[in-house]
Amino acid sequence: MKPGIDYIGVAVGVFIINDEGKVFLTKRSKNATNERGTWEIPGGKVDFGETLQDAAKREAKEEYNIDIEIIKQFPAQNHLIPEEKQHWVPTSFLCKIIGDKEPRIMESDKCDEIGWFSFDALPCPLSIITKIDIAQYRGSVGLK
């Protein structure tokens, strides 16, 4: 049985903004669970018995070798991917990196590229949930 396919998957997102107001995005590889080739905020599945917050911290460390501080939790969202027959319920967290480490790709089979992007120069295409999260963030800080 696979989460998101055989039953609703629970996931977290790590929405990182740096001191310049840029957002950290990653490009999903051809081996990703879904939405291959899209840019997204990093994140992943929640393990059984794991809190959402611990899952976000674990994913940031495992995938990009960074430690994060959670600032704010966004509401859970519907991440429906009809063409891939997947259903996820992710919760994203506004975060900042602890210390001066720069993210680096630790799981090259899941991620092709990473980068910091201003909101007026986002890469394309964005994943479905990343579009939702960016709209949520922009609304919370009064950006259009």
Side-chain angles (χ1 to χ4, degrees):
M1 301 269 293
K2 293 183 179 180
I5 298 170
D6 298 313
Y7 58 91
I8 298 169
V10 178
V12 292
V14 181
F15 196 99
I16 303 170
I17 303 292
N18 67 12
D19 292 338
E20 298 171 13
K22 293 182 177 181
V23 62
F24 177 65
L25 297 176
T26 67
K27 187 174 183 184
R28 296 178 67 77
S29 82
K30 65 180 188 237
N31 301 317
T33 305
N34 53 45
E35 295 192 84
R36 295 160 195 91
T38 63
W39 287 87
E40 68 169 359
I41 64 165
K45 299 174 196 127
V46 177
D47 292 336
F48 183 82
E50 184 177 43
T51 68
L52 297 171
Q53 295 83 351
D54 287 345
K57 291 175 183 178
R58 175 184 51 76
E59 289 288 348
K61 188 68 168 179
E62 284 178 359
E63 295 182 2
Y64 303 100
N65 197 36
I66 52 174
D67 296 307
I68 57 166
E69 176 185 339
I70 294 174
I71 299 168
K72 176 183 178 179
Q73 182 174 344
F74 293 154
Q77 298 292 337
N78 296 300
H79 185 187
L80 305 172
I81 314 168
E83 56 279 352
E84 296 187 52
K85 296 182 171 80
Q86 292 194 33
H87 183 171
W88 294 88
V89 177
T91 300
S92 294
F93 295 91
L94 178 62
C95 303
K96 67 178 184 176
I97 296 175
I98 297 171
D100 57 359
K101 260 189 184 175
E102 276 297 311
R104 61 187 175 103
I105 299 171
M106 303 301 290
E107 297 178 340
S108 57
D109 59 320
K110 295 180 183 178
C111 177
D112 290 338
E113 295 178 57
I114 60 175
W116 294 97
F117 299 91
S118 64
F119 287 97
D120 58 357
L122 294 170
C124 291
L126 293 174
S127 71
I128 295 166
I129 193 60
T130 297
K131 290 177 190 175
I132 293 168
D133 286 337
I134 287 172
Q136 175 76 31
Y137 172 76
R138 291 174 69 99
S140 73
V141 296
L143 296 174
K144 298 209 182 222

